[in-house]
Amino acid sequence: MQQLLASYMPLVIFIGVSGLIGLALLVAPFIVAYKSPDPEKLSAYECGFNAFDDARMKFDIRYYLVSILFIIFDLEVAFLFPWAVAYGKLGATGFWSMFVFLAVLTVGFAYEWKKGALEWD
């Protein structure tokens, strides 16, 4: 029984060290953080509206449209990596199926471009 428990000791040490590192990373910002933010930090960031305004204020919906389009196309492009790794084993069927996939992706991108979803006026 002692040998069985001793075989788990590296796992216990790993969990302990990772817990300590995680706790240190959670506590460290509260200890070393700069307490008074400057006006640049409090200014609008990426989304286009002020950080401390009313949460129910109206804002431009195009921000979310562009972000959704980015996520969609980013996830679809992620399918190219496994295909590229297994390209030699797939043969003609794999090539033509990816060709159809990329054609659909290109048609969708052209449609979004034509509709002006990528324009920010």
Side-chain angles (χ1 to χ4, degrees):
M1 186 68 170
Q2 291 293 336
Q3 185 180 5
L4 179 65
L5 292 176
S7 66
Y8 282 103
M9 188 53 72
L11 182 63
V12 171
I13 292 172
F14 179 76
I15 292 173
V17 170
S18 63
L20 286 174
I21 291 172
L23 186 64
L25 290 174
L26 285 173
V27 172
F30 294 105
I31 296 172
V32 298
Y34 185 63
K35 300 296 185 219
S36 58
D38 58 357
E40 184 67 28
K41 185 174 182 180
L42 296 176
S43 67
Y45 178 72
E46 285 190 9
C47 56
F49 52 88
N50 292 330
F52 298 106
D53 283 346
D54 184 21
R56 291 175 289 281
M57 65 181 274
K58 292 185 178 185
F59 56 91
D60 197 0
I61 196 71
R62 287 180 291 180
Y63 170 73
Y64 287 108
L65 291 175
V66 170
S67 64
I68 289 170
L69 287 173
F70 172 75
I71 289 171
I72 289 170
F73 286 114
D74 186 46
L75 290 177
E76 288 178 349
V77 168
F79 287 125
L80 291 174
F81 293 113
W83 175 76
V85 170
Y87 179 71
K89 299 174 188 166
L90 295 176
T93 305
F95 173 78
W96 288 110
S97 63
M98 186 53 71
F99 183 78
V100 170
F101 174 76
L102 289 175
V104 170
L105 183 66
T106 304
V107 168
F109 181 69
Y111 175 77
E112 295 297 332
W113 192 346
K114 183 177 183 277
K115 286 292 186 180
L118 304 175
E119 299 289 329
W120 194 274
D121 294 330

